Structures are given as structure tokens and as C-alpha cells.
Amino acid sequence: MPATTAPPGADPRRWWGLVVIALAQLMVVLDTTIVNIALPSAQHDLGMTDGNRQWVITAYTIAFGGLLLLGGRIADLVGRRRTFVIGLVGFATASALGGAATTPGVLFGARALQGAFAAVLAPSALSLLTTTFTDPRERGKAFGANAALAGSGAAIGFVLGGLLTEFLGWRWCLFVNVPIAIAAVVGAYALLRDGPGHAESRLDVPGVLLGCGGLVTIVYGLSEAQPRGWADARVLGLLSGGVALLAVFVWWQSKARTPLLPLHIVKNRNRAGCFLTLGLAVIGMFGMFLFMTYYFQVVLEYSAVMTGLAFLPLTGSIVIGSSQISARLLPHVAPRLLLAPGMFLATLGMLLLTRLTVDSGYATDVLPALMLTGVGMGLTYTPVFATSTAGVAPRDAGVTSATLNASQQVGASLGVALLNTVATTSAGTYIAAHLTDPAQRDLITREGLVHGYTVAIWCAAGIMLLAGVAAALMVTGKPARPGAPEKPAVPEYAT
């Protein structure tokens, strides 16, 4: 544990509490990367189509992102440690249900249930971290360590996912969450402390229905664009309806007595810039995870274990960027001097992936791109999390943390749905145009798949570049001043 002088009133067990919080974060990240590695096997086993496979990811991220703001309010209402434990238990139960699924529908439902409990778990975990570490220097180290452990969790997930999928079956990629959750529950009761919840808080049920409904409608519309086409009336209706629901959601938040998302949270320029930067960045990252998994296993014919190992340089670069570079520089440089260069590096890495062919070599064509993308994302994660939660009133810690996580999960939902549609549509068009000799069907099919992936990655690179521009223009905060506990920038309010 870091050997630093404890600020007055600091919990002496705060660094061990960080381990428990990071363990929960590891479980969530582990689940994401494990599922990516297991997806080709699960798709084959349960008979999913290419258009429907994205629901294994988006069912989770929609529920996660759509209910996160509610989860943040629940954390504020009943106490963060209590919701932390509830989230752990529910997540483990949903994981067991998904592991036992025999149809795609059951797996999609279990993934959605996982997302719902993750929406309770994630904001309580991050707000516990925020309220436990009040000194700016310690907070930077804590967020850096948390980001590094999350990156390590991704690496563990890739390797463990490959091992479990290859030797025990893809179902064990979900069952593995159960023992992790049990260990985290024990640690939470032993090491974490939290004050009582705010009994005067209320839950904004109309806000939940409008916000989550809008996201589900948009993602469903994006998924329908692949079989129906972008100009189809049903697709346009779904997309327009989703945008309309989100517009009504924003209006309702300005009128509700107990808003799900108090608008002053996002009116702060630095926080809004961080939310937007993270959401756009994750669109590209989740799309890349999906396409590179299929590129390794379907095009290059890697085993599940080899696929997991192939991703390790990416996660190692994220750890280096977050814990060794970003966390050390955060107290001394303005956040945007980390965010914008990080996004531009990640964009460069994505652009290198657009050159992939069916014969590309891993060391020469894939590895440099993964490392550039990883360092760029590592430079981004720590300042985004630290800056967006800085100066928040204790009463708003849960909802602010939830908004940050929601921007990540909404980006993942929209990114996977949009980019999967772009990839499958582009691949189908390519195959239909080039398949003139049935004897070359296998080669043309693989070339078509790679063409679809690269077209989608071009889109992802453009979105990441936009994230860098947003960070450079919107995030104007100064370096954190080491040595003084942070005071809320927003006064506590009662509704």
C-alpha cells in the first residue's frame, strides 16, 4: 500500500478498501472481455445470426447504461455499501443464469439482468472511491490504481476467457463471476464504511422509463438497419422515436421535483467534456474488441487461448498509460493535455487497423496498432474519472459517478450496435459483388468479413478523433492542487 501521510480524518483502511472496490471493478471488466472471447463459440452453440450476436453485448450495456442513473440515486438513497453488496449478489446470480442458457433469448435476458445489477454496483463502487479519497494526490493514485487494475482485469479476462472457452466451454466465462462476487461481498462488510443514505431522496421512475426507453429504441433501430436498410420506414421510425424519448427525458429532468439526472451535473463544462470524451472513445473501443475477436478467430483461425493472448499488449499498454504516465502527470498538468493526446494516439492506432487484410501479420500489422490504442486509452481513463468526479457535493456523488459510467455504457451500446451493422452490411455488399466463382467462396467470404471490419474501424477512428477534439475544446480544468482535501464545487441541495 502507498506509504503516504494520511490526511486528517482519513480511513486507515482506505487502501485495503480500494482493493475490494477494484475487485468488483475487475469482475465487471472481466465479464466484458471474457464474453468477447467467448462470443464466437456461444454464437455457434446457440445458433445466433451475425445480426443478432451483438445483443450478447448490447443487452448488457443497454441495461447497464440505461439504469445507471437510477442506480446512482439508489446508492444515495439507501447507502453506497448496501447497494454495492446488492449489486454483487445480483450480478453473480445473473451470471449463473447466463451460463446455464440453452437459447439465445435466455442468454440475452441474463446479460440484461447482469447489466441491471451492474447499474447498482458500479456507481456505488466509484462513489465509495470518491468519498474515501478526498486528498487530490491520493485520489489521483487511487484512480490510477483502479484504472490499472481494471486494465489488468481486461488482460485476465482475455486470457482466462480463452482458457475457459477452449478447455471448459464458453459457459464457464459467466460462471466464474460467482466466486469473485463472494470474495468482494466478504471484503465489503469487513473493510468498507459508509454513512447512512439520504432518506429524503426519491426515485425518478418516469425519468428511468424515458431514458432507458430512448436508448433501447435507438439501439434496436440500429440493429434493424442491417437486415432492412437505413432508409426503411421502421428503422427511421425507431431512431426518430428514440431521439424524441431522450429529448423528453431532458425536458422532464428540468421539471421533475427529484430528477434522475440533476442538470447542473452536466452543465459543468469540464464534466460534460469528460462524459462526451469517454462516451465517444468507448464507441471505438468496443467496436474494435468485437471485430478483432472475430478477425483473430474466424479470419486468422486463432484458438480462443491465442486470441486472448493476442489482446494482452493492448491491456498492458492501457495499464502503462493509466498508472505509469497519466496518474503521475495528473497532479501537475491540465487534464486536457492528457485527454486530447490520448485520443489522438488511439485514433492513430485505429487507423493502422484499417489496413488489415486476410494475410496481415500480427507483429507487423496488428501489434503496433493495439499498443498505440492502449496507451491512448490509458492516458484518457484516469483524467476522465478524476476530473468528472472532482468537486462534487457528497449528496451528488452517486449520481455523478452513475452519469460517468452511463456515458461509457451508452457509448458501448451505440458503438456495438452501429458498428456491427456497418460491418455486416459492408461485408454482405462486398461478398455479393465479388462472389463470381463458387470455388473461391471461402476466400471471398473472408475478404468480405475483413472489408466489413475495416470499414467499421474507419468509422470508429473518426469518432475517436472527434473525442480528442471534444476534450481539447471542452475540458478546461487546471491541475489538481496536491496536499489539500477537495471541497465541493457544487453546494448540496435539497429537493
Side-chain angles (χ1 to χ4, degrees):
M1 299 298 153
T4 59
T5 302
D11 186 349
R13 299 177 299 176
R14 63 193 181 282
W15 293 106
W16 288 109
L18 171 63
V19 174
V20 175
I21 294 170
L23 186 63
Q25 178 73 9
L26 182 146
M27 182 178 70
V28 175
V29 175
L30 191 74
D31 182 77
T32 301
T33 52
I34 276 183
V35 167
N36 271 277
I37 297 297
L39 185 52
S41 297
Q43 179 181 356
H44 179 268
D45 191 20
L46 299 181
M48 300 178 211
T49 65
D50 286 347
N52 286 336
R53 68 187 178 194
Q54 54 98 4
W55 284 106
V56 177
I57 299 173
T58 54
Y60 174 82
T61 54
I62 287 174
F64 196 172
L67 298 175
L68 262 170
L69 294 171
L70 178 65
R73 275 304 181 207
I74 292 174
D76 291 337
L77 175 65
V78 303
R80 296 171 188 114
R81 189 178 74 168
R82 184 179 299 175
T83 56
F84 183 75
V85 171
I86 291 172
L88 286 169
V89 173
F91 194 91
T93 303
S95 298
L97 177 63
T102 56
T103 65
V106 173
L107 180 58
F108 299 158
R111 291 286 288 162
L113 193 60
Q114 275 186 309
F117 280 106
V120 175
L121 172 63
S124 56
L126 191 56
S127 56
L128 281 169
L129 191 64
T130 302
T131 55
T132 299
F133 294 92
T134 57
D135 178 77
R137 184 180 294 275
E138 285 198 346
R139 174 177 285 183
K141 293 180 180 179
F143 276 108
N146 190 61
L149 287 171
S152 300
I156 295 169
F158 283 129
V159 176
L160 184 60
L163 291 170
L164 291 175
T165 300
E166 190 156 337
F167 297 109
L168 293 178
W170 64 267
R171 300 178 185 279
W172 283 93
C173 294
L174 293 166
F175 291 147
V176 73
N177 290 322
V178 177
I180 297 176
I182 292 173
V185 168
V186 173
Y189 280 117
L191 297 169
L192 297 178
R193 70 178 186 181
D194 185 37
H198 297 282
E200 71 278 10
S201 297
R202 295 294 181 269
L203 301 181
D204 179 16
V205 176
V208 173
L209 296 177
L210 288 169
C212 194
L215 290 174
V216 171
T217 303
I218 290 175
V219 171
Y220 183 55
L222 292 173
S223 68
E224 285 292 289
Q226 189 270 325
R228 297 175 178 272
W230 290 101
D232 183 78
R234 181 173 182 178
V235 172
L236 295 176
L238 287 168
L239 296 178
S240 301
V243 171
L245 285 173
L246 293 181
V248 176
F249 168 79
V250 174
W251 170 83
W252 173 252
Q253 296 310 287
S254 68
K255 303 295 183 182
R257 292 183 58 191
T258 56
L260 187 66
L261 174 59
L263 294 184
H264 71 259
I265 296 293
V266 294
K267 285 181 179 179
N268 179 283
R269 179 171 178 169
N270 287 308
R271 271 195 289 276
C274 287
F275 296 155
L276 181 59
T277 299
L278 183 62
L280 292 172
V282 168
I283 288 177
M285 277 295 290
F286 268 69
M288 188 266 285
F289 278 146
L290 176 65
F291 303 136
M292 292 309 297
T293 297
Y294 277 86
Y295 179 76
F296 288 143
Q297 295 193 35
V298 176
V299 178
L300 298 185
E301 298 182 347
Y302 284 9
S303 66
V305 172
M306 286 298 297
T307 299
L309 293 174
F311 276 114
L312 284 185
L314 172 69
T315 54
S317 300
I318 291 175
V319 172
I320 292 172
S322 61
S323 64
Q324 299 302 314
I325 302 176
S326 189
R328 293 173 183 268
L329 293 177
L330 187 58
H332 308 291
V333 302
R336 67 176 171 183
L337 296 181
L338 296 171
L339 293 172
M343 282 292 89
F344 296 148
L345 276 177
T347 300
L348 179 58
M350 299 292 280
L351 289 175
L352 292 179
L353 290 176
T354 63
R355 304 183 306 168
L356 291 178
T357 68
V358 294
D359 299 315
S360 292
Y362 178 82
T364 56
D365 300 309
V366 178
L367 181 59
L370 294 183
M371 295 186 70
L372 280 173
T373 303
V375 171
M377 292 301 297
L379 288 175
T380 302
Y381 279 135
T382 300
V384 158
F385 278 81
T387 303
S388 59
T389 56
V392 177
R395 181 171 304 191
D396 285 334
V399 71
T400 302
S401 302
T403 306
L404 177 62
N405 279 279
S407 66
Q408 184 171 358
Q409 298 305 321
V410 168
S413 301
L414 297 178
V416 170
L418 171 64
L419 297 178
N420 185 66
T421 296
V422 170
T424 53
T425 302
S426 300
T429 302
Y430 182 95
I431 294 170
H434 291 80
L435 187 58
T436 56
D437 184 358
Q440 296 198 356
R441 176 179 296 274
D442 182 64
L443 175 61
I444 297 300
T445 298
R446 292 197 300 149
E447 289 179 347
L449 290 175
V450 175
H451 174 75
Y453 302 156
T454 55
V455 171
I457 290 174
W458 268 111
C459 297
I463 294 170
M464 278 195 165
L465 180 61
L466 184 60
V469 174
L473 296 179
M474 296 181 65
V475 182
T476 59
K478 298 180 180 180
R481 180 169 59 88
E486 182 181 297
K487 295 183 179 179
V490 180
E492 292 192 19
Y493 69 98
T495 53

